[in-house]
Amino acid sequence: MSYRYLCLLAAGLLSTTMASAQTSAPPSATSSPIAFAIHGGAGTILKSRMTPEGEAHIRAGLTEALTTGYAILQRGGSAVDAVEAAIRVLEDSPYFNAGKGAVATSAGTFELDAAIMDGSTLQAGSVAGLKHIKNPISLAKLVMQHSPHVMMIGDGAEVFAMSQGIDTVPNSYFRTETRWHQYEHMRDSVAGTLPKSSYNDPAIEKKYGTVGAVALDREGHLAAGTSTGGTAFKRWGRVGDSPIIGAGTYASNASGCAVSATGTGEYFIRNVVAADICKRVEYLHESIDSAATYVVMRKLVAQHGDGGVIAMDSRGHVVQPFNTEGMYRGYIDANGKPVAELYK
Amino acid sequence: MSYRYLCLLAAGLLSTTMASAQTSAPPSATSSPIAFAIHGGAGTILKSRMTPEGEAHIRAGLTEALTTGYAILQRGGSAVDAVEAAIRVLEDSPYFNAGKGAVATSAGTFELDAAIMDGSTLQAGSVAGLKHIKNPISLAKLVMQHSPHVMMIGDGAEVFAMSQGIDTVPNSYFRTETRWHQYEHMRDSVAGTLPKSSYNDPAIEKKYGTVGAVALDREGHLAAGTSTGGTAFKRWGRVGDSPIIGAGTYASNASGCAVSATGTGEYFIRNVVAADICKRVEYLHESIDSAATYVVMRKLVAQHGDGGVIAMDSRGHVVQPFNTEGMYRGYIDANGKPVAELYK
């Protein structure tokens, strides 16, 4: 057990009233509530480092994704469709590390991963190592619905994509000036040409820019989805937790739980974070607050695993704990209004 | 809940005394028992369809893998090293669907996946979509021990492999005459050129030929590993449960549980089978027998998810339930002797 873990225990930081574990009431008082929540990545997100313009872009992206997904639920659409639609908005925005605006690998290329899961059937679709798919979350959904498989990777996944008529783009489509500046900084710093102080450049701050969504539809079905460009300067071929069913993404009506994660993916894989939260709810009868908070703030913190999750239970209760400086996140409140947050 | 699930419940088929859930006592009565078990795939494995020569090859391979892994544990080696060594034996044998002897994809190529996990640290390594790595399990171990990542796929994983000096081979190395005959049959039957009766050819029987191992070493550490050529005629780029930490492979000293799975990978991913068994042991305080048997014989059967697992607890108790006609499997008995089984 690490010193940091003991300190957290001693400081009593782990109550469910913690600032970082924001919750929302179910958005409807009917017998079939709908609920929707998203995240846009966790990491060193500090107000002092954010420009008003940058913050406005992030808030606008989160708000558009929330309203897009929620509108689908309001008109009786499925949780799966709401999750996909919201994540497409975040993939298309250059301000989030998924789809356009993804971070580059150490080789200067872009490799994207995504997963989606339908809690009502346990069906899931997952894709990794994509280079030419504009919206990876939609390919994940096609794998789930139109193939006998759960996970497809690399060129094989892209060949399947062609057979489905999905939008393809050149790899350079994903490149944005801000991310490329970040890549060049990292490349040069690895090559030893940059002074150490350059590490403080906000453009190369440590941020795990995955995006994700969880939803509860009028049928009472839960769904979860996640999409990412991975970690900045990751080694070519590395896959994080986002497309791993059970690690970065999980949804199960039977468990009464849906989770999408963001953070240092390796820790989320080793701890099977999304499934662990759902199993705590199902087997230990913990509330979604307690389960998600325990895994993120105790288990992961004890291992120095940075990140956060959004989690929802079968009543539409949302919790969004994170152990980093900030996490882009949002939910629809009890009045149907989108609420977007960035900091602690 | 499906009709079949209800019937199974009613029929009381799920007691832990079932024939397919064989167990072994811990192999040592000391305070630090060591234990070792393996599998070589589950599926339509019937004595009536097996030639004496084929059965002898399978038994010889299982026995060699068991004695190789167990010898490492006996001389104080780690559970991780024992798992790797045994799986290398099965990968090198042409009679198992991993490494040499792997089944072909629908494109006539060979794509291999593997994973290994150290229960003492929760460190894990996973590789998928390999085409030129002679022993995928050893690359998974290198990813675990010599990279910051857990999972690496495709060409990127192979570039990392080169940097580690691991043995590489041409893709054709994995091809064997028996598997190629099977591939040609499947290709021709898809093309409609074969009569339906040809489906009964033993060479194209339905078998999920993953291999795997679980171990407990003198330090009390658990480990698990799995390696596969995937399902026969799988679509190019498809990844099953074997390399998915939590689905086909999981080990955790904290849970007191190590699991390696074989079967229709998609069901094992959706149900996070290996992690679910470990969470049932940890959270519900079920025995390893009860947990593994429940997941394989109830959850998976209810969903028509074919396959089996080998699972071990922190005392070295082994259980090997499967819901198929047979499963190649083995363990070291209380006297240190290898026991290999093929059928129900």
Side-chain angles (χ1 to χ4, degrees):
Chain A
M1 187 179 293
S2 76
Y3 175 70
R4 190 173 166 195
Y5 181 50
L6 286 168
C7 287
L8 269 171
L9 287 170
L13 284 174
L14 305 169
S15 79
T16 55
T17 58
M18 54 197 315
S20 59
Q22 293 173 327
T23 61
S24 72
S28 162
T30 71
S31 60
S32 301
I34 57 174
F36 196 64
I38 61 172
H39 70 80
T44 314
I45 298 167
L46 294 166
K47 195 166 177 57
S48 58
R49 286 175 155 195
M50 188 74 76
T51 64
E53 189 192 16
E55 182 170 329
H57 284 306
I58 296 294
R59 288 190 183 280
L62 292 173
T63 302
E64 185 188 347
L66 282 167
T67 53
T68 300
Y70 193 69
I72 289 172
L73 298 175
Q74 278 187 305
R75 59 175 185 259
S78 74
V80 164
D81 287 346
V83 163
E84 180 200 14
I87 290 177
R88 283 179 67 102
V89 169
L90 298 170
E91 284 176 341
D92 290 344
S93 164
Y95 302 101
F96 300 90
N97 174 19
K100 187 164 186 69
V103 298
T105 68
S106 59
T109 56
F110 300 92
E111 291 190 354
L112 301 108
D113 310 330
I116 195 163
M117 186 159 186
D118 180 344
S120 67
T121 59
L122 294 186
Q123 281 198 301
S126 161
V127 286
L130 304 180
K131 293 176 185 159
H132 307 97
I133 307 302
K134 183 167 175 280
N135 291 105
I137 193 68
S138 294
L139 183 56
K141 187 179 153 194
L142 286 169
V143 169
M144 173 171 77
Q145 296 182 335
H146 295 164
S147 92
H149 301 317
V150 168
M151 187 171 197
M152 298 195 70
I153 63 174
D155 295 343
E158 298 206 338
V159 167
F160 170 73
M162 310 285 183
S163 76
Q164 300 293 310
I166 200 171
D167 286 347
T168 56
V169 290
N171 196 245
S172 59
Y173 160 82
F174 301 108
R175 175 173 156 172
T176 57
E177 282 316 299
T178 307
R179 297 289 190 202
W180 198 250
H181 173 66
Q182 176 187 20
Y183 167 72
E184 288 179 329
H185 261 76
M186 296 185 93
R187 186 191 58 195
D188 294 346
S189 67
V190 166
T193 58
L194 269 186
K196 278 225 167 179
S197 61
S198 295
Y199 283 106
N200 295 324
D201 186 326
I204 53 170
E205 63 188 347
K206 198 174 175 187
K207 198 173 76 58
Y208 309 104
T210 301
V211 308
V214 291
L216 175 68
D217 64 27
R218 287 213 192 282
E219 304 291 321
H221 298 324
L222 289 159
T226 312
S227 181
T228 189
T231 53
F233 217 70
K234 69 181 176 185
R235 197 188 278 265
W236 180 31
R238 176 262 190 188
V239 173
D241 62 312
S242 304
I244 305 298
I245 300 300
T249 306
Y250 205 71
S252 165
N253 285 15
S255 294
C257 173
V259 178
S260 171
T262 170
T264 313
E266 281 70 17
Y267 293 91
F268 286 68
I269 296 176
R270 291 173 190 139
N271 290 281
V272 206
V273 162
D276 191 20
I277 292 169
C278 290
K279 294 303 171 191
R280 294 185 75 88
V281 170
E282 183 177 356
Y283 295 155
L284 299 178
H285 306 295
E286 290 185 354
S287 69
I288 195 80
D289 295 35
S290 298
T293 303
Y294 181 86
V295 172
V296 172
M297 308 308 290
R298 287 179 76 153
K299 277 196 180 176
L300 288 175
V301 166
Q303 298 171 35
H304 308 287
D306 292 342
V309 303
I310 55 172
M312 181 180 285
D313 69 14
S314 52
R315 295 169 300 119
H317 191 73
V318 173
V319 59
Q320 303 183 307
F322 55 93
N323 61 34
T324 46
E325 295 295 330
M327 179 167 83
Y328 300 153
R329 64 205 184 276
Y331 59 93
I332 300 289
D333 74 8
N335 300 313
K337 289 234 170 107
V339 178
E341 302 285 352
L342 284 67
Y343 317 111
K344 266 187 186 164
Chain B
M1 188 180 293
S2 75
Y3 174 71
R4 188 170 167 196
Y5 183 48
L6 284 168
C7 288
L8 271 170
L9 286 170
L13 285 174
L14 307 168
S15 82
T16 56
T17 58
M18 55 198 314
S20 58
Q22 294 174 325
T23 62
S24 72
S28 161
T30 71
S31 60
S32 300
I34 57 174
F36 196 63
I38 61 172
H39 69 80
T44 312
I45 298 167
L46 293 167
K47 194 166 177 59
S48 57
R49 286 175 153 196
M50 187 76 75
T51 64
E53 188 191 18
E55 182 171 328
H57 284 307
I58 296 294
R59 287 190 185 280
L62 292 173
T63 302
E64 185 187 348
L66 282 167
T67 52
T68 300
Y70 194 68
I72 290 172
L73 298 175
Q74 278 187 307
R75 60 175 184 259
S78 74
V80 164
D81 287 346
V83 164
E84 181 201 13
I87 291 178
R88 284 179 66 101
V89 169
L90 298 171
E91 285 176 340
D92 289 344
S93 164
Y95 302 102
F96 299 90
N97 175 18
K100 185 162 188 70
V103 297
T105 69
S106 59
T109 57
F110 301 92
E111 291 189 354
L112 300 107
D113 311 330
I116 196 164
M117 186 159 187
D118 181 344
S120 67
T121 59
L122 293 186
Q123 279 198 302
S126 160
V127 286
L130 304 180
K131 292 176 187 159
H132 306 98
I133 307 302
K134 182 166 176 282
N135 291 105
I137 194 68
S138 293
L139 183 57
K141 187 179 154 195
L142 287 169
V143 169
M144 174 171 78
Q145 295 183 336
H146 295 164
S147 93
H149 301 317
V150 168
M151 187 172 196
M152 299 196 71
I153 63 174
D155 294 343
E158 298 206 338
V159 168
F160 170 73
M162 311 285 182
S163 76
Q164 301 293 311
I166 199 171
D167 286 347
T168 56
V169 290
N171 196 245
S172 59
Y173 160 82
F174 301 108
R175 175 173 157 172
T176 56
E177 283 316 299
T178 307
R179 298 291 189 201
W180 197 250
H181 173 66
Q182 176 186 23
Y183 166 72
E184 287 178 329
H185 261 75
M186 296 186 92
R187 186 190 59 196
D188 294 346
S189 66
V190 167
T193 58
L194 269 185
K196 278 225 165 177
S197 61
S198 295
Y199 283 107
N200 295 325
D201 186 326
I204 53 170
E205 64 188 345
K206 197 174 176 188
K207 196 173 76 59
Y208 308 104
T210 301
V211 309
V214 292
L216 175 68
D217 65 27
R218 289 214 191 282
E219 303 291 321
H221 299 323
L222 289 159
T226 313
S227 181
T228 190
T231 53
F233 217 71
K234 69 180 177 185
R235 196 188 277 267
W236 181 31
R238 176 263 190 186
V239 173
D241 62 311
S242 304
I244 304 299
I245 301 300
T249 307
Y250 204 72
S252 165
N253 284 15
S255 294
C257 174
V259 178
S260 172
T262 171
T264 314
E266 281 68 17
Y267 293 91
F268 286 68
I269 297 176
R270 292 175 189 137
N271 289 282
V272 206
V273 163
D276 191 19
I277 291 169
C278 291
K279 293 303 171 190
R280 294 185 75 88
V281 170
E282 183 178 356
Y283 295 154
L284 298 178
H285 306 295
E286 290 185 353
S287 69
I288 196 79
D289 295 35
S290 297
T293 303
Y294 181 87
V295 172
V296 172
M297 307 308 290
R298 287 177 75 154
K299 278 196 179 179
L300 288 175
V301 166
Q303 298 171 37
H304 309 286
D306 292 343
V309 304
I310 55 171
M312 181 180 285
D313 69 14
S314 53
R315 295 170 300 118
H317 191 73
V318 173
V319 59
Q320 304 183 307
F322 55 93
N323 60 35
T324 46
E325 295 296 330
M327 180 167 83
Y328 300 154
R329 62 204 185 277
Y331 59 92
I332 300 289
D333 74 8
N335 301 314
K337 290 235 169 106
V339 178
E341 302 283 353
L342 283 68
Y343 316 111
K344 265 188 188 164

